[in-house]
Amino acid sequence: MAGITDRPFRQLCREQGAGLVVSEMVTSDVRLWGSRKSRQRLAHDSEAAPRSVQIAGGDPAMMAEAARMNQQLGAQIIDINMGCPAKKVCNKAAGSALLRDEQLVGQILAAVVAAVDIPVTLKIRTGWDREQRNAPRIARIAEDSGIQALAVHGRTKADLFNGVAEYDTIADIRQQISIPLFANGDIDSPAKARQVLDYTGADAVMIGRAAQGRPWLLGQIAHYLSHGEQLAEPDMASQRDIMLGHIRALHTFYGDLQGVRIARKHVGWYLKTLPGAEPFRKIFNRIECPKEQQQGINGFFARVMEGGLAA
């Protein structure tokens, strides 16, 4: 997820139990890779394996070149984004906009697979809109093109993130392809993960928004799927330590100025379910110093654990 699954968050998700993490979406236009944002997204070689890097674009040759260059930079898996519904992506005939052109989809997939000697995976939605749910055809094109695994979000491009995800299309895809299939969309608990896997026949679940502010959900799901046992939510001290470790990593990775700003949105997600969090969140969002951010979090949790904050 662009702006979210940066290196500090990916590292945290691994620590919390994720089996595979994928980088933020990187443009296939290598002419734009000189920006600070792109440089931060393109450093892969020092991360733990397997390193999956997601690329987006609508031109087969540019996508192939982006894949080659990312492999040289340390990527071990290339993930192609044909699922993003954002206007700024779809307006450039990329992301889920590509689902309207099955011929171009095939050309892009074939070009990228031929360009690298590492696995290539694909992320899609169920179609452009509810009248054009062509994901099963896209899935067959993907398998025929050499794609090694497919992730499907149970909404169309037109749905954005509204309504509820549907899994019938994913179940249909499972009957038509033999490569690994990941189900995605509205999976926010271990029980929901088990339900979706049983219903669709998918091989794994992919978690997105539900991990924002709750990265421990990944380990809870993995444990439940392996052992059938529900793990309790982390206690307040554990949640505090996870949050502090995360924002320290953000400060280190981005530097003080940018790190402080990026920490604000992540801390906002962490605080959503905690008592008395809204007044503290407003205060936290005005803090400009990394050390003061850490002190603020310590103080907030001290008050929560002492019972000094009401829900």
Side-chain angles (χ1 to χ4, degrees):
M1 297 180 288
I4 300 168
T5 55
D6 54 17
R7 184 187 292 186
F9 190 62
R10 293 196 301 273
Q11 180 177 341
L12 174 60
C13 289
R14 285 184 189 275
E15 293 169 356
Q16 293 298 314
L20 175 69
V21 295
V22 182
S23 78
E24 297 174 270
M25 183 171 58
V26 177
T27 177
S28 63
D29 189 343
V30 298
R31 295 170 298 180
L32 304 178
W33 285 10
S35 69
R36 180 179 64 177
K37 182 182 293 185
S38 290
R39 290 196 304 271
Q40 288 168 335
R41 293 181 180 180
L42 287 165
H44 317 308
D45 56 348
S46 62
E47 283 195 74
R51 298 185 291 272
S52 179
V53 177
Q54 187 177 89
I55 60 174
D59 179 88
M62 291 176 69
M63 289 286 280
E65 178 64 11
R68 278 192 294 268
M69 292 185 67
N70 273 293
Q71 181 178 359
Q72 293 172 6
L73 291 169
Q76 296 171 316
I77 300 170
I78 297 296
D79 186 53
I80 298 174
N81 184 305
M82 294 188 183
C84 180
K87 278 186 179 181
K88 66 180 181 181
V89 175
C90 290
N91 287 345
K92 296 179 181 178
S96 55
L98 291 166
L99 300 177
R100 291 182 296 181
D101 191 337
E102 295 177 14
Q103 182 177 2
L104 179 57
V105 167
Q107 292 170 350
I108 291 172
L109 300 184
V112 173
V113 169
V116 294
D117 55 11
I118 56 177
V120 180
T121 61
L122 173 65
K123 166 75 184 298
I124 64 172
R125 287 188 165 224
T126 57
W128 176 257
D129 58 31
R130 296 183 186 185
E131 287 67 50
Q132 302 175 74
R133 283 199 177 111
N134 62 335
R137 290 198 301 275
I138 298 289
R140 293 194 297 272
I141 293 169
E143 184 169 41
D144 291 343
S145 300
I147 293 298
Q148 298 291 298
L150 175 68
V152 183
H153 182 101
R155 288 181 172 85
T156 68
K157 183 273 176 191
D159 289 328
L160 300 176
F161 292 100
N162 300 318
V164 295
E166 59 90 10
Y167 308 110
D168 290 335
T169 303
I170 301 176
D172 185 13
I173 290 170
R174 174 71 292 166
Q175 300 303 311
Q176 301 194 41
I177 62 173
S178 59
I179 59 176
L181 176 64
F182 305 155
N184 175 234
D186 294 352
I187 300 169
D188 57 4
S189 71
K192 184 66 175 288
R194 179 76 274 165
Q195 174 191 344
V196 170
L197 287 175
D198 290 344
Y199 187 81
T200 62
D203 301 283
V205 292
M206 183 169 67
I207 310 300
R209 291 174 295 160
Q212 295 173 198
R214 288 182 67 209
W216 49 84
L217 173 65
L218 304 168
Q220 291 174 323
I221 290 175
H223 184 85
Y224 184 75
L225 295 178
S226 296
H227 304 287
E229 176 187 30
Q230 292 269 12
L231 294 178
E233 287 288 291
D235 61 25
M236 287 296 102
S238 297
Q239 291 189 37
R240 176 201 62 203
D241 292 345
I242 290 169
M243 191 188 305
L244 283 171
H246 188 181
I247 71 164
R248 288 190 192 107
L250 291 170
H251 297 153
T252 299
F253 183 71
Y254 288 106
D256 289 357
L257 180 63
Q258 191 182 9
V260 161
R261 293 174 179 174
I262 291 173
R264 291 170 183 160
K265 63 182 177 183
H266 286 280
V267 169
W269 290 320
Y270 282 111
L271 294 174
K272 276 186 176 180
T273 60
L274 295 177
E278 184 57 25
F280 172 68
R281 187 188 64 80
K282 292 178 180 178
I283 295 170
F284 186 85
N285 285 344
R286 295 195 294 270
I287 296 174
E288 300 286 349
C289 168
K291 185 176 181 179
E292 289 179 12
Q293 282 192 332
Q294 296 170 40
Q295 291 171 338
I297 289 170
N298 272 316
F300 170 76
F301 274 93
R303 294 190 296 275
V304 170
M305 289 186 281
E306 290 169 2
L309 294 174

